[in-house]
Structure formats: structure tokens, C-alpha cells
Amino acid sequence: MYKFPRDFVFGYSWSGFQFEMGLKGSEVPNSDWWVWVHDMENIMTGLVSGDLPENGPAYWHLYSKDHDMAEKLGMDAIRGGIEWARIFPEPTFDVRVTVERDEEGRITSVDVPESAIEELEKRANLEALEHYKRIYSDWRERGKVFILNLYHWPLPLWLHDPIKVRRFGPDRAPSGWLDDRSVVEFAKFAAFVAYHLNDFVDSWSTMNEPNVVYENGYGRPNSGFPPGYLSFEAVEKAKLNLIYAHARAYDAIKEFSEKPVGVIYAYTWLDPLSEEIAEDVRKIRENELYSFVDSVHFGESRTVGEGREELKGRVDWLGVNYYSRIAFDRVNGHVVPLPGYGFSGVRKGYAKSGRPCSDFGWEIYPEGLEKLLRELNERYGLPMMITENGMADEADRYRSYYLVSHLRAIHSAIEAGADIRGYLHWSLTDNYEWAKGFQMKFGLLKVDWESKRRYIRPSALVFKEIATQKAIPEELSHLSDLRPLLQD
Ligand SMILES: OC[C@@H]1[C@@H](O)[C@H](O)[C@@H](O)c2[nH]c(CCc3ccccc3)c[n+]21
């Protein structure tokens, strides 16, 4: 029996663009991701799937039924979202706030007074705000924990028009995170949300996976992420603005809320395949993977420089999204990521390690989660929550093994002293997987896209057993051993 702490929570995470839409009246057409996945060129070239988010799981209307199912599965926490483009369909640039910059032009503070909140209310979609309150209350009135994350990738079109950026370049189009006005507008959005929703939230996260936004948006054009504008300078610029956007939103939320404010980050385990490159790979983790949180925790990193008081101490807790690893080895004298392992495995096949991969081709590698959590604990000593973990597995062949082996890894990290508060699965239901649309099924519950009915996958019952007992019972502990799954 592997018992978790009594107050350890089990649950799931959702994001607005992927879950809310599905029935008439839930559409949010004025965002960068909306125009991106509807763009005929993107669909014709196969950059996006052609599936459309307005045909999604319809959480905007069906939230209470999903909460019923979540409760039935023993869940006691949800991390959810709020769509910026829904709340502010019109620009908020002209709402006056006080912005301070240092001699390098870095935005060191954005003061959003209540007079600005009133101005923002005149531009906001207040019916949408009221509906979000109904959604969050429906869960919290069951005595459950709700974590609100403010930004999970879509930007309002008035802030980012990805088609124009790709066609005309970022200097002649609304360029989103390449424009440091986004830092100010995000701080206004954060202040407005904290002012109105503080009573509906247990803790805050400013953003989900900023690293994926800048890496995929500007560094991996075939990822199918907007604006698909390849420029390593743009990667660095978006990264810096996202770091400042987090810190200014942290401060804005703290003006109106005393609750913890964290950030949710796309972690992976950068894994040396041989001992002789272990130190090289640790350095890559330090310089690449950890630099965003270093910037807003220590106030220093290669990206922001040193002694950044305007960034230091702006993270109360860490959201860890973990799916798989990236394996490294020395090839022709260079330490490089290897294909065939981790995120670059084989769809529905096996990694070079002989381990099974998900429908997405991601290798099942729970050891990476334990190593990552131990290293994050040593580095920051912050409270952590696993805010995403799961796999695309339509047939539910491996999800039970995936679940139990990763929970075992978390249990081991807790034993080693890591302060981990909960496990939020990705996800409760199948949902809209960005450029891949509905092809990738991450749900404990299957969704029939015509009827929107939910069906239980067997792994959901494994989840229920563990969440209800807050422990991995002896009878399920065999599932943490992946040997039966290995390629023979
Ligand atoms: O791909 C599954 C989930 C997404 O549905 C979530 O919105 C996103 O937070 C999320 N991040 C990751 C890991 C990093 C990643 C991001 C995008 C594509 C592939 C891997 C996996 N996921």
C-alpha cells in the first residue's frame, strides 16, 4: 500500500479553448487560436487537423455533468481556466494604468487602480464572467478545491493576429507576446479577474506552459502553433515578455487576493543515456528548462540577467506538467536529443528503449518524473502540484499502467522530501488537442462527439480506486511495473 498525505488532492485539469466549446452559444471566435485552426491554408497544408473547437466536449454547457463524474471518480480538485478573448472581446489598450520601466525599458511595475477596473468593466463581457462564476461555484459548492489558471495559450485577436504576423511579419501586425504591450494588457486582465473572482478560487496560476508558447510559436513552425513564424530572436523576445507578463500579473493578482499565485510549466526530464554526459545534460536542464522559473524565483537567469528585483520571489507554487522524457547522447562529439525516445517515440509503437509509446508517440517513462521532482525540490523547495500528466490512448491499453507508475514516482519523490500537494490528470474527458484536433484521446472518459455523451474507460476505475483511498492499494501496485508492456 502506497499512502499519499491525507490532504493530497486528486483531480484533473482543463483549458477553455479545448473544453468549453461544443454546443451553440459557447463559441469564442475572436482569438488567435480560433483563426489559426480555421485558416484554410493551415488546413490544406495539414499544419492543423481541420477539426474545429466549436465541435468540442461542450464543457461551457455540460460542466455540472462533468463535475458529477469527477466527484464519482473520487476527485477533489480541478485546475481550470478563463478565456481572455471571451472576457475582453474588444481592446483594453486605452484603459489607463501606471506603467514603470527601468533604464533598459523592462516593465518593472504595472499599477491597476480600481478606477481602471471600472473602465475594464465597461469593455468586459460581464455575462461570460457571470457564467464562469457558475462553473467554478458548481465545483466548489461540493466542498472541492479549484485552481484558476489565467492564460492557456489563446490570445485575443486584437492582441495577436497570427495569419498577418506570418504573412507580413511582426512589425506590421498585432504580434502578441512579441509586443511588450502584452505584458501591460495581461496585468490588466489579471487584476480584473482577481478583483472579480477571488471568492471563487483557492489558488491562482498566471499561465500554462509559457515555454511551449514561445518555443512552438516561434521555434517549431511544423508544430502547428501560431504564428508559425520561425525566428530564434522572436523566441527570445517572446520568452522575455512572458517572464515579465508572469511577474506583473503576479503583482496584479496580489493587489486583490491573498491566495497563492504560481505558474504551470511544461517540464520534461532531459535524460542522459550515458553517465559520461550526465553533467552536460544537467547544464542543459539548468540553462534551458529551468531558466523561466529561475527568472521569477531567483530573479536571475541567462535570459533576464542578474539581480532582477522586479522578477524575484514571484512564484508561490509550481505547477508541474509531465508527460515523457527527452533522451540525450553524444553524437559526433555533440550532446544532442535522440529520436526514438521520449516525445519523439513511435505512435502506438515502441521507443528504442522497448517501452510502449502513446497514440501521440510519447514514450512511457515514469522514472523521469521522480528525478525531475527531486531536482525541482532541491532547486526551489517550493510547494508543487502535478497539474498535468496523462497519455493519448484511445484503446486505453496502457493508461492504467501509466497512471499507477507515475503515481508511484510521485510517491517516491514525496518520500524523498518533495512538498507535492496533488495530482491532476490530463484529463477527465477527451478534448480538442490543438493542431491535432480530436485525433488524440487523453480522456479517462471517452466523448462521443455527436451526442457529447461521456463513456467510462477502464482506467477511470483504477483512478477512482486510488483517488478514493488516497493510496495505491496493494492489489493495484503491480501496474507500476512496466515489464509486461515492453517490446519483446
Ligand atoms: O498534449 C496534451 C496536453 C495539452 O492538451 C495541454 O493543453 C498542454 O498544457 C500540454 N502540454 C503538454 C506537454 C508539452 C507539449 C505541448 C504541446 C504539444 C506537445 C507537448 C501536453 N499537453
Side-chain angles (χ1 to χ4, degrees):
M1 165 82 88
Y2 297 93
K3 285 184 74 60
F4 287 88
R6 206 175 26 75
D7 54 0
F8 187 89
V9 293
F10 286 85
Y12 81 98
S13 287
W14 59 267
S15 84
F17 190 78
Q18 298 177 268
F19 286 76
E20 290 172 359
M21 295 183 266
L23 292 174
K24 276 262 158 287
S26 60
E27 300 83 359
V28 185
N30 60 319
S31 79
D32 56 356
W33 265 98
W34 174 280
V35 300
W36 184 254
V37 298
H38 286 83
D39 178 73
M40 279 320 291
E41 270 182 38
N42 284 342
I43 295 170
M44 304 294 280
T45 57
L47 196 59
V48 296
S49 67
D51 292 339
L52 298 175
E54 57 267 39
N55 301 323
Y59 179 72
W60 190 253
H61 292 92
L62 305 178
Y63 60 89
S64 197
K65 288 183 188 300
D66 280 350
H67 296 168
D68 291 345
M69 279 308 290
E71 197 163 11
K72 215 181 281 180
L73 296 180
M75 293 183 174
D76 38 23
I78 291 180
R79 179 264 286 204
I82 182 166
E83 282 303 292
W84 191 350
R86 215 191 256 284
I87 298 298
F88 289 111
E90 300 305 322
T92 55
F93 294 120
D94 60 353
V95 173
R96 290 174 50 72
V97 294
T98 311
V99 181
E100 281 173 13
R101 291 172 184 267
D102 65 12
E103 59 290 346
E104 289 172 82
R106 303 278 184 92
I107 296 173
T108 52
S109 82
V110 177
D111 177 37
V112 185
E114 291 214 18
S115 57
I117 299 287
E118 285 152 29
E119 278 306 299
L120 288 165
E121 280 163 3
K122 292 175 191 161
R123 289 157 180 74
N125 177 342
L126 297 177
E127 299 79 58
L129 187 68
E130 287 311 306
H131 191 68
Y132 276 118
K133 290 180 184 176
R134 285 191 285 274
I135 294 175
Y136 307 156
S137 310
D138 181 85
W139 179 245
R140 289 183 89 233
E141 281 163 10
R142 301 164 193 246
K144 306 290 187 184
V145 170
F146 184 68
I147 299 162
L148 179 55
N149 173 65
L150 266 56
Y151 172 64
H152 195 128
W153 301 357
L155 286 176
L157 205 52
W158 50 266
L159 207 50
H160 186 216
D161 185 329
I163 308 298
K164 288 186 182 156
V165 167
R166 184 172 60 185
R167 187 165 296 150
F168 307 123
D171 301 334
R172 295 165 56 208
S175 59
W177 294 116
L178 295 180
D179 178 348
D180 69 6
R181 289 187 303 165
S182 302
V183 174
V184 177
E185 299 317 306
F186 188 57
K188 292 178 192 173
F189 174 57
F192 180 84
V193 170
Y195 180 88
H196 282 285
L197 297 175
N198 186 41
D199 295 342
F200 298 82
V201 165
D202 292 290
S203 62
W204 303 94
S205 160
T206 56
M207 46 182 74
N208 177 82
E209 302 196 341
N211 47 328
V212 173
V213 173
Y214 58 76
E215 285 165 2
N216 281 10
Y218 302 96
R220 297 190 192 107
N222 50 14
S223 66
F225 275 58
Y229 175 80
L230 179 60
S231 151
F232 297 115
E233 183 198 345
V235 170
E236 289 309 307
K237 199 168 180 189
K239 178 176 181 178
L240 191 68
N241 282 332
L242 278 156
I243 286 168
Y244 275 83
H246 164 80
R248 299 294 69 86
Y250 177 98
D251 293 345
I253 293 168
K254 290 287 185 185
E255 283 299 309
F256 300 103
S257 172
E258 69 299 335
K259 293 166 183 173
V261 181
V263 64
I264 295 169
Y265 199 76
Y267 283 107
T268 177
W269 180 249
L270 306 189
D271 195 26
L273 283 194
S274 61
E275 195 44 42
E276 63 96 10
I277 58 165
E279 183 49 28
D280 299 78
V281 179
R282 194 194 61 73
K283 279 235 174 331
I284 298 171
R285 289 198 297 273
E286 181 145 307
N287 293 334
E288 303 303 323
L289 191 60
Y290 298 154
S291 72
F292 187 104
V293 175
D294 283 3
S295 303
V296 294
H297 181 66
F298 299 122
E300 61 187 46
S301 69
R302 285 200 329 192
T303 306
V304 299
E306 295 189 357
R308 290 287 170 186
E309 292 307 313
E310 76 276 14
L311 298 176
K312 185 175 179 177
R314 267 46 173 223
V315 54
D316 301 332
W317 67 276
L318 261 189
V320 176
N321 291 357
Y322 178 88
Y323 288 87
S324 186
R325 66 167 164 179
I326 297 173
F328 285 77
D329 212 345
R330 192 182 296 282
V331 177
N332 303 329
H334 297 283
V335 175
V336 292
L338 292 189
Y341 297 87
F343 280 105
S344 54
V346 177
R347 288 191 178 191
K348 295 190 179 176
Y350 293 92
K352 283 197 176 135
S353 61
R355 288 157 178 260
C357 299
S358 73
D359 297 352
F360 224 151
W362 302 351
E363 179 188 15
I364 301 179
Y365 194 73
E367 299 88 325
L369 179 54
E370 181 182 349
K371 290 174 183 167
L372 171 75
L373 290 171
R374 293 167 83 116
E375 193 163 86
L376 290 176
N377 184 50
E378 276 153 39
R379 189 175 191 84
Y380 304 115
L382 285 170
M384 293 185 272
M385 174 90 68
I386 307 303
T387 35
E388 285 183 29
N389 176 248
M391 68 181 296
D393 184 3
E394 179 166 15
D396 207 37
R397 289 183 297 173
Y398 303 124
R399 189 175 280 106
S400 297
Y401 284 92
Y402 188 95
L403 192 54
V404 178
S405 59
H406 284 84
L407 284 170
R408 268 299 305 281
I410 294 162
H411 188 273
S412 302
I414 292 172
E415 299 254 277
D419 178 6
I420 303 167
R421 304 289 173 89
Y423 174 84
L424 306 180
H425 193 71
W426 187 269
S427 182
L428 179 69
T429 65
D430 292 343
N431 60 87
Y432 188 78
E433 181 54 34
W434 306 108
K436 298 299 174 220
F438 300 116
Q439 298 164 45
M440 297 300 162
K441 321 280 186 182
F442 278 89
L444 289 165
L445 306 180
K446 169 189 167 62
V447 175
D448 175 293
W449 298 115
E450 289 311 309
S451 67
K452 310 298 179 191
R453 284 180 59 87
R454 275 74 165 143
Y455 295 89
I456 293 176
R457 291 193 168 105
S459 54
L461 302 176
V462 171
F463 186 101
K464 177 179 178 177
E465 272 306 303
I466 295 169
T468 314
Q469 299 182 44
K470 289 200 189 292
I472 302 172
E474 199 48 41
E475 302 83 356
L476 290 176
S477 60
H478 69 99
L479 291 169
S480 65
D481 180 351
L482 301 181
R483 279 175 303 180
L485 308 181
L486 298 187
Q487 189 175 31
D488 50 33

